[in-house]
Structure formats: C-alpha cells, structure tokens
Amino acid sequence: MPANTVKLEPKNRLSAADWEQAALDTLAESGLAAVAVEALARQLGVTKGSFYWHFATREALIQASLERWEHSDEMEVLAPIEAVADPRERVRELIRQVSHRRPSHAVFAALLKSVDLPLIRPFIERVSQRRIDFVTEAFHQAGFDATTAANRARLAYSAYVGFIQLAQVGQPRMSHDEFEAYIRDFIEILIPH
Amino acid sequence: MPANTVKLEPKNRLSAADWEQAALDTLAESGLAAVAVEALARQLGVTKGSFYWHFATREALIQASLERWEHSDEMEVLAPIEAVADPRERVRELIRQVSHRRPSHAVFAALLKSVDLPLIRPFIERVSQRRIDFVTEAFHQAGFDATTAANRARLAYSAYVGFIQLAQVGQPRMSHDEFEAYIRDFIEILIPH
DNA sequence: GGCCAACCATACGGATCAGTATGGAGAGCG
DNA sequence: CGCTCTCCATACTGATCCGTATGGTTGGCC
C-alpha cells in the first residue's frame, strides 16, 4: 500500500469543518433546534465526546457555522452580480438568481425563525443590511431618488423574505410555469421600464 | 354584603379562556417555546395542577388558543373592510389597517416561526389562503386579469409577511415618518392609479 | 349542614439535552 | 519501543419540561 495518506480516509477522524458543515445541513433541513450535539454526533457516527473536543460549546459551533455560511453567501450571490453594469439589469439578474437557487435560502429561512436569539440576530441583521443596501444602491443608480430607492429595496427584500417563508407552507401553490410568471410580474412591478 | 356575586372576584379560580388568553399573550411576546404549562402557571399564579384540569395536554391549549385567535383575526381585520365598495380603495384601506395595528401581527409572526410543526401549519395555511384570496379578488375586481391579480396579491402578501419578520430585527430602521412614507410607496407601487 | 363537583397544590416519573470527567485507542516521532 | 498528543467513547450530573397520581380546598345546592 502506498504510504503518504495525506487527506484520505475521510471515514473516521473528523475535523471542526465537518461539524460545521453538518450543522449547516441540519439547520437548513430541520431548523436550529435540530442542531443538537448528540443528534449531530449520531448523524456523524460518533459521540458527544468528539464534539466537545472540537468545540467548547454548542453556541460556539453555531457561531462558527454561521460565519462560514455568511461568508460563502456573500461571495456566491452578491459578488458575481456586482459586475453587471446596468443597475436595472443588475436587480433583474439578482431576482432571477435568487429565485432559481433554492438550497442556500434554506439556511436563511431557518435563521429567520430564530431571530429572537441573541446569537442569531446579528447574522440576520448583517446579511439583510448588505442585501438591502445592494438593491437600494442599484435603484438609486437607476434614477430613483434616495428615499424611493430605499423603499423599493425594502419592498423587494421584504417580498423575498416573505416568499421563502410562505414557500415552506406551500402557500403560493404554484406550478413551475406559474412561478416563472410570478417572477416576471415581480420584476415588472418593481422595476418599471 | 350583597349576595349575587355573579362574576366578581377574578382573582382566583381560572377558566379555560384565561389560559388561552395567557397562551396567546406569551406566544406573541416570547414565541411558541415560551408557551409552556409550568411557565404559564407561574405567570397566572397557580401550578400545573390547575392547567391539567382545564386541558388534557399542552397541544390542546395551543389548538384552542389558535382557533380563538384565528376567529377574532378574521372578524376584526378582513370583515370590516369588505364593506369598502371600490376594490382599489379596499386594498389601500387593508394595507393602512394592518400597517397601523401591530399587536395582532405578533401572534402571526410567532406562528410563522413554528410553521414546520404539524400543529401550527394548518393555521398559517388557512389564514394566508384567506388573505391572499381576499386581495386577489380585489385586484381582479379592479380590472387586472386573473393571473396578474394573483401575482400582485402574492407579492403584496409576501411583502407583508417579510416585513413583520424584518421588523423584529429592527432591520428597516425607520422613523415613524419614514414608515408612513414607505406605506405610501408600498401602495403606490402595488396599486397603480 | 352535609355532599358533590369544580378547581388547584404537591409530588413524582420519565424523557431530553447541554456540559463534565475520565479513560482509552491510534498515529507519529524520538 | 515507548511516549505523547490527537481524537473519541463511556458514564455521569443537572436542568428543564410534559404528563400523571393523588389529595386537599372551596363554593353552590339539596
């Protein structure tokens, strides 16, 4: 057998990053309450003893996981769209992007439900502020005055937040085509030609 | 002393309705997790023994409380506005109403966070469906075709849901005047003249 | 005035979960 | 070979909370 097994054998021997990823997965799937040390341990095939070696406390895990999520979220969503020159088209592209990439929103939707916790709140505040500022800036560049741009951004972001909440209820019971039509109307209403 | 003390002495001796009201209050203030029997008992100055005489289980209390809330919500919000003849003005009035009466939304916002629970989900579904249908109907009467009316209603309701979520974060950090201006823009965008 | 039913206290059982204490296996290195 | 550091298992404590069992108190009613 070849020696030099640098990073093989992902079977046993976990790292902190493994725990963080598992935490984000179950957070997205089952909510913050499901991010429990013993549950994650079972899910990873180990016991609590492993966890408390990598992290001091449950909150430390959540904190680290969310910092990871916040960073990747910013890099993967907003950053690529900043390149779009025309501000109107930039917002349109943003709407299309977020409307066609569900998995990332699951974490945000889960966090939204635990926003009353002091541990979670700052994350919601920061990412929301960044996103609203992003859209506000685009609307401003598109010719709207400051307050109108801000209000339109607020409306757009509120509609986004509300939608991902209602989507879990299956409330806007729409087919794929109906959803696409909704997105088109969404854009049409918020970004007049 | 006059006999005939029909309903005096509200000090001791609770009724099921008292528990339901207390449940709704703490639900609105501290979320569903805070609706715990022992906590409510302390809050009401009694012990668990009292609770389990009035209700079989914690879920029974929540169920009863939410049925009470759902009924009063429907009566106090949508019903009075149905009288407004002009559909455009009806939606405008609805928006003004809900934007100026906070306390009732607290229960809905709290429920939204626990929508994954099978006990809560039906309530969210029913009230959301009713509200969306209400607005859709108004937009339809205002001259929009069926799908456009539905999409505008979805957008309006999503924006509402998202706003009450973000409001708790203090995210749309607005003064009173800014809020009023936002509502005006909200109406202006959704209901073109 | 005594009985009955509504209402509540006390005390316990059982489940869940965060965190601690402690010891053991396993790889690398001298 | 043996030591040590990393990583994990086992076992326990303590807190919280739902639900049960049971007995006590109070008000109305015959």
Side-chain angles (χ1 to χ4, degrees):
Chain A
M1 306 174 196
N4 203 327
T5 58
V6 190
K7 213 148 196 199
L8 235 68
E9 298 287 359
K11 201 162 296 188
N12 293 334
R13 244 52 184 178
L14 303 175
S15 73
D18 294 325
W19 285 96
E20 295 171 10
Q21 191 55 49
L24 286 179
D25 290 345
T26 63
L27 172 60
E29 236 180 68
S30 312
L32 187 65
V35 183
V37 292
E38 309 192 62
L40 287 179
R42 279 192 301 271
Q43 178 181 327
L44 288 173
V46 292
T47 64
K48 311 169 48 160
S50 170
F51 175 84
Y52 284 101
W53 191 91
H54 294 284
F55 297 91
T57 173
R58 174 178 176 256
E59 292 199 349
L61 168 68
I62 296 175
Q63 180 81 25
S65 302
L66 293 186
E67 282 170 0
R68 170 185 292 255
W69 166 79
E70 181 181 2
H71 186 262
S72 78
D73 175 83
E74 192 175 3
M75 292 296 99
E76 294 174 5
V77 179
L78 258 48
I81 304 183
E82 274 182 333
V84 179
D86 178 47
R88 278 183 157 80
E89 191 54 40
R90 188 155 72 237
V91 177
R92 290 194 192 95
E93 187 56 29
L94 175 61
I95 295 175
R96 292 193 201 98
Q97 284 289 329
V98 302
S99 68
H100 287 69
R101 201 187 318 174
R102 282 292 177 86
S104 167
H105 310 339
V107 172
F108 181 70
L111 287 184
L112 218 45
K113 297 175 185 170
S114 304
V115 74
D116 23 82
L117 302 179
L119 180 64
I120 305 299
R121 190 189 178 105
F123 289 94
I124 300 284
E125 283 183 343
R126 279 197 300 271
V127 305
S128 293
Q129 193 63 54
R130 258 196 299 271
R131 293 166 174 184
I132 290 179
D133 287 349
F134 182 89
V135 180
T136 299
E137 173 69 12
F139 275 128
H140 191 56
Q141 291 179 10
F144 292 100
D145 66 279
T147 46
T148 304
N151 284 340
R152 252 167 217 271
R154 283 194 261 261
L155 177 57
Y157 189 63
S158 296
Y160 160 71
V161 169
F163 190 86
I164 63 176
Q165 294 288 94
L166 293 172
Q168 300 179 9
V169 195
Q171 197 41 240
R173 228 175 294 276
M174 304 188 258
S175 69
H176 181 70
D177 289 347
E178 285 175 328
F179 177 72
E180 296 297 330
Y182 173 69
I183 296 301
R184 280 197 299 274
D185 274 13
F186 188 103
I187 294 175
E188 190 64 30
I189 292 170
L190 284 178
I191 313 173
H193 46 286
Chain B
M1 307 173 197
N4 203 325
T5 58
V6 189
K7 215 151 195 198
L8 234 68
E9 298 287 358
K11 199 160 295 185
N12 293 333
R13 240 60 181 174
L14 303 177
S15 74
D18 294 325
W19 285 95
E20 295 170 10
Q21 191 55 48
L24 286 179
D25 290 346
T26 63
L27 172 60
E29 234 179 71
S30 313
L32 187 64
V35 183
V37 294
E38 308 191 64
L40 287 180
R42 279 192 299 272
Q43 178 180 328
L44 288 172
V46 292
T47 65
K48 312 170 46 162
S50 169
F51 175 83
Y52 284 101
W53 191 92
H54 293 284
F55 296 92
T57 172
R58 173 179 177 257
E59 293 199 348
L61 167 69
I62 296 175
Q63 180 81 26
S65 302
L66 293 186
E67 282 170 359
R68 170 184 290 257
W69 167 80
E70 181 180 2
H71 185 263
S72 78
D73 175 83
E74 192 175 6
M75 291 294 100
E76 295 175 5
V77 178
L78 258 48
I81 304 181
E82 274 182 332
V84 180
D86 179 47
R88 278 182 157 81
E89 191 53 40
R90 188 155 71 239
V91 177
R92 290 195 194 96
E93 187 56 29
L94 174 62
I95 295 174
R96 292 194 202 98
Q97 283 290 327
V98 302
S99 68
H100 286 68
R101 202 187 316 174
R102 284 293 177 87
S104 168
H105 310 340
V107 171
F108 181 71
L111 287 184
L112 219 44
K113 297 175 184 169
S114 303
V115 73
D116 23 83
L117 303 179
L119 180 64
I120 304 299
R121 191 188 176 105
F123 289 93
I124 301 284
E125 284 182 343
R126 280 197 301 272
V127 305
S128 292
Q129 192 63 54
R130 257 197 298 274
R131 293 167 173 183
I132 291 178
D133 288 349
F134 182 89
V135 179
T136 300
E137 173 69 12
F139 275 127
H140 191 56
Q141 290 180 12
F144 292 100
D145 65 280
T147 45
T148 304
N151 283 341
R152 250 166 220 271
R154 283 193 261 261
L155 177 57
Y157 189 64
S158 295
Y160 160 70
V161 169
F163 190 86
I164 62 176
Q165 295 287 96
L166 293 172
Q168 300 177 11
V169 195
Q171 197 43 242
R173 229 176 292 275
M174 304 188 259
S175 67
H176 180 71
D177 289 346
E178 285 175 329
F179 177 71
E180 296 297 329
Y182 173 69
I183 295 301
R184 280 197 299 275
D185 274 13
F186 189 103
I187 295 176
E188 192 64 30
I189 292 170
L190 284 178
I191 313 174
H193 45 284

